[in-house]
Structure formats: C-alpha cells, structure tokens
Amino acid sequence: MATKASRTAARAMVSPAVILLLGWMIVPLAMTLYFSFLRYNLLNPTQGGFAGFDNYYYFLTNPAFFQALTNTLTLVLGVLVITVFGGIGLALLLDQPIWGQGVVRVLVIAPFFVMPTVSALVWKNMFMNPVNGMFAHMAKAMGLQPYDFLAHAPLASIIVIVAWQWLPFSTLILLTALQSLDREQQEAAEMDGASVFNRFVYLTVPHLTRAVTVVILIQTIFLLSVFAEILVTTNGGPGTASTNISYLVYAQSLLNYDVGGGSAGGIIAVILANIVAFFVMRMIGKNLDA
Amino acid sequence: MGKITLRNVVKRFGDAEVIPPLDLDIENGEFVVFVGPSGCGKSTLLRLIAGLEDTSDGVISIDGLDATDTPPAKRGLAMVFQSYALYPHMTVRKNIAFPLKMAGLSPEAAAKKVEAAAKVLNLTAYLDRKPGQLSGGQRQRVAIGRAIVREPKAFLFDEPLSNLDAALRVNMRLEISELHQTLKTTMVYVTHDQVEAMTMADKIVVLNAGRIEQVGSPLTLYNRPANLFVAGFIGSPKMNFVTGAEAEAHGAPTIGIRPEHIDLSAQNGDWQGKVGVSEHLGSDTFLHVHVPEVGVVTVRAGGEVAARHGDTVWLTLQADRIHRFGPDGKAL
Ligand SMILES: Nc1ncnc2c1ncn2[C@@H]1O[C@H](COP(=O)(O)OP(=O)(O)O)[C@@H](O)[C@H]1O
Ligand SMILES: [Mg+2]
C-alpha cells in the first residue's frame, strides 16, 4: 500500500464492505433514536406524536434503572474477575504435561459450544433447582437444607452461570499466551535464582497482561448485553434483583409494549457501553501497544 | 574459583544417548570452547553443567564439590543464551539487576553494581530502555551484563554471537576475549564456528555426536589433529584429504595437507593439475585445482596470484606438514 494508486484502489475495494457495515449499523441506530423521541405505546395506539425527552426522563427515573445499572456493572465485573483468575489458574494447569492432555483440553473448551439459553436451563433445572437439582441433592446428602440459589442469590447465580460459559474462552486465550512464553527466559530466570513463584510474578504475569487485556475487552462487550441467561432463569427477578440494562430494555418495550421508552433505554445502553469502553481502554488499552 | 570436572557424564533423552560417557576437566580461569557441528550435543553438555538438564549418569563437580544434583541457581554459574533471553518488559537496568534482586541484595548495592557493569559494557546510555529498543549487539551486552553482576564462578555462553552480523560478531568476539582478560573468570563457550573457537579459546574441546574427539590448545589441534574429524573440522579452508596410491606413497591409507601447506608453481612439482574456481579474497587466493588421480585440491596462494580458470599448475606438498591417518581415521 505504498503508492497513491494502490491506496486509492484499496479504498475503492474496501468501500462496499464498509458502506454495508455502516448502513447495517446506522439504520437501526437512527430508527431507535427516532422512536425514542416518540410517544409510541402499542397498548395505546391513539396517543402519538413527539415526546421530547420524556421517554428518557421516565427511563432514567424508573426505580429499576439504577438497580439495573449496578446489576449490569456487577455482572460484568464479577464474571471478569472469575474468568481472568480462573482462566489463569486453569491455563497454568493445562500447560503442565499431564496424561490425557488432549481430552482434558477438549473438555475444558466444551462449555463455550453450549448455547447460552441451553446452558442456563441446564444450570437452572439440573443444578440449582431446590428440589431436583444436583446441589439440592448434595445438600440433602450432607443433611443440610437445600438452598434456592435463583430465588435468594439470583445475581450471583447468574454470574456463576455466565462465568462458566466464558471461562473456556479466557482459558484458551491465556493458555496460548502461556505457551508462547519463551523457555530460555524461564531458564535464564531460573539461573538468576528466581523461585517458581518469582518467575510467575516477574515473567509470566507481565507476559500475560496483553492476553488478559484482550480477554477483558472482548468479554466486556458481550457481558454488557447478557440477556438469554436472565430470561430463562430468573426473568430479571425476584423483583428487579437480577435485571440488567438489556433486560430492562426488553421489559420496557416488549412486556410493557412501550416502544418509545424501550428505544430510549436502548440509546442509554449504547451510551453506557461507550462510557465503559472509554474507561476500559483508558485503563488497560496501553497494554495492547507493541 | 571456577574449576569444573565432569566424570563419566551421560545424557539420554528417552532411548537416545546424546552424550555417551564423557570426562572433562575445566581449569580455573580457563577459556574453554566446545566446538562441533550442529546437533552434536554442545548445548546439551553446557546445559548439564548449568544444571538446566539432569545428568542420566556420572558426576559433575564444581570447585571439588559434587554439584550433580545442585539446582542451577545454587551452582554459582551464569549463562548467556543464544536468544539473549532478556526479560522484555523490564528496562536494561532492571534486567541487569534482576539476579541481584533475586539474591536479596539491597537496591542501592544492586544499583552500584549495575552502573559498574554498564560502564564496562558501554551500556550506560541505554539503561532505561527496554530490550526491544536495542540492537542485537546491545542486547548481547545486556545479557553479558546480567551475567557479570552475579560475579559467578564461571560463565557459560551458548552460541552467543550466532544472531549477529559478521562485522559485529568480530567485535563482540574481541570484547568477550577482552572481558576474559579483565575478569580472569572461567568461561565455557559453545560455538559451531571453528574460527570463533580458534581465536578465543585457551582450550578447545572438539565434539562429534556427543563424543570428545580431541581436547587441546588451538595450535595443538591445528598442528596435531588426533583424527580425521578434527583435521577436517579445524582450519579454514578445510584440510585436503587424499587416499589411494598417492597416499600410500606417503606411507598411510589417508593423508591430509592443509591448503596453506601446498606450494604452487607454474613449472614443476609433485602433482600437475588444472585450475578450477579461484576465490580472490584480496589477501589470499584459494585455488581449487583438479589433479588427476587425486581429486580437487584446495590451495592457498598469495593475493597476487594470476592463475586463471583452466591454467595448468604444479603443486608441491610441504613434506613436514603432511598428516598421516591410519585405517581407523586416527593420526599415525
Ligand atoms: N529435550 C530434548 N529431547 C530430546 N532430544 C533432545 C533434546 N534436546 C536436545 N536433543 C537432541 O540432542 C542432540 C544434541 O542437541 P544439542 O545439544 O542442542 O546440539 P548442539 O547444541 O550441538 O547443536 C540433538 O540430536 C537433539 O535432537
Ligand atoms: Mg545448540
């Protein structure tokens, strides 16, 4: 891409894709923006017209909004903490020469291939169900009272479910990073008198920062919009105890049939995601510079 | 102090015996070079001494104490790796200070040693850079700096110059020799390049398939190679080997003669041949002469020799420089 002609040609070549993607993004965004300023409730078709910032006002002052905001951030943070630390731990274990390594690796990666709705249902019915669930059986076997996870600790339960789904992803990325750790560096550190622990702190951890950054960035994007797991397990409840922003938008527009309010929520979610992205990039983005 | 002794040391990887039983003495303060073709077990031998590989059998002692089962950090040896193995996220200063930090030295004392080492190695201006911002030669020096500050009993180098360009390699070769003169610490140096071995070593250990073929000073190896392998490996260009009737005429199944020990004449001599390729280096000219019944013979002539392709020349062997080898390849 050195000459002027080749740069022009390159621009011409990529422009269809760029225009397509831009349209793909701009059209729904513009329509959402448009609806968010309309009085548009499916239960009340006679009422219409321009609503000004009313939809935003009602969405933001909805008592559920603040809880949904904290739930969203707790969910993201909780899953990130579990997957990053759990991922490093698992990656370190999987990096050891063990018998049956191939099979173990496939098993570790398996959860990633299970659809979110399916895995959430499996967790809900087979593990966390207070009557038939595995955990209930285990509790009973030990003479304890079964715990109704989804009723009493709904957000924590969802964090566990989502973390279980994302652990393979972080493990995989961190494992490849571990495997690219230079063996001679390790040996040099060993000769320099660094213990196993010191080698982990001074060599492995700095080496992993870039991979951890990638894990955090990618997961944050997906975790901000967790939805299926909440829908099939708790329906955002009890009350709004496990409602996050994307679930609140759904509840607003499809349970309350308030298209205008839901659109305003959608726009707020977009703004929120950008704020989070800004801070995440500020904090850890420099790790990506070579 | 840095006297390293290997007794009956064996190394096996699974069924493959990479180092058959081997004895070696490295004296205090010596510059010992392990040289041999690629894959002959030089690195493995060095790593056995360093403790990065376990011996399968035998005893390694350092300064008279059995160190066979001592972990690498406790052996008091420092190693410079072929890939430099610098810690990429640490500055040069931190890289060099790392072993001191691990040894629990106070930051002030460590800083003093780092400054001193940086001065010796001309690294003072680069102390706050990361390894990624340095040239190959500078990285090499940082790796050496990291080894020096530990004040080890011996330095171990594994092909430290093989990633450098030719001019830099010559410079670094001199610097390492210079460093050995200053520090007077034992150095064990691995290379596949016989020029490095010849120019740097006090003692050369020629390895072939894990076996020691010969141990001796550079000139001993050059003048009295113990066998065909050493004769062919040491010296550049390679020694000429002749078998058959011509060799029998000199009283051995195989004779060897170095290119620099053949006299060239346009009129008369022992062998008559035709000049093939001639390589002009300026100071020297290497002629590849095709001699009937003998084969291609490399001859070193002066830089001004005007032999052309296809010219007929006469070769005379310097009688006292002929090496004779028995049927088993050993020198007679
Ligand atoms: N970890 C290992 N496992 C199995 N074989 C090895 C290992 N390390 C080295 N070898 C074998 O040992 C022989 C000598 O290797 P090495 O010491 O690296 O040679 P050099 O440094 O002289 O080129 C080679 O044939 C190599 O394949
Ligand atoms: Mg090697």
Side-chain angles (χ1 to χ4, degrees), chain A residues 183, chain B residues 13 16 18 36-45 53 158-159 190:
Chain A
R183 204 174 66 115
Chain B
F13 290 111
V18 174
S38 195
C40 71
K42 309 179 294 286
S43 298
T44 307
L45 193 55
E53 301 278 1
D158 191 355
E159 309 215 11
V190 163

Side-chain angles (χ1 to χ4, degrees), chain B residues 26-106:
Chain B
I26 296 168
E27 300 300 333
N28 186 29
E30 239 177 357
F31 197 121
V32 176
V33 176
F34 296 169
V35 66
S38 195
C40 71
K42 309 179 294 286
S43 298
T44 307
L45 193 55
L46 196 71
R47 291 164 58 81
L48 286 172
I49 295 174
L52 293 171
E53 301 278 1
D54 294 323
T55 53
S56 304
D57 207 350
V59 178
I60 297 175
S61 45
I62 299 172
D63 288 342
L65 299 174
D66 184 350
T68 315
D69 298 315
T70 312
K74 299 262 158 54
R75 296 194 182 193
L77 310 175
M79 184 146 164
V80 175
F81 292 84
Q82 182 172 0
S83 68
Y84 317 133
L86 300 179
Y87 312 127
H89 48 273
M90 296 185 200
T91 58
V92 170
R93 188 189 302 279
K94 286 196 173 145
N95 260 287
I96 299 179
F98 187 74
L100 303 175
K101 185 172 170 176
M102 289 300 114
L105 210 68
S106 76

Side-chain angles (χ1 to χ4, degrees), chain B residues 3-20:
Chain B
K3 180 176 157 59
I4 302 169
T5 317
L6 281 71
R7 286 288 169 264
N8 270 316
V9 169
V10 180
K11 178 65 190 176
R12 282 182 286 265
F13 290 111
D15 289 336
E17 193 172 69
V18 174
I19 309 277

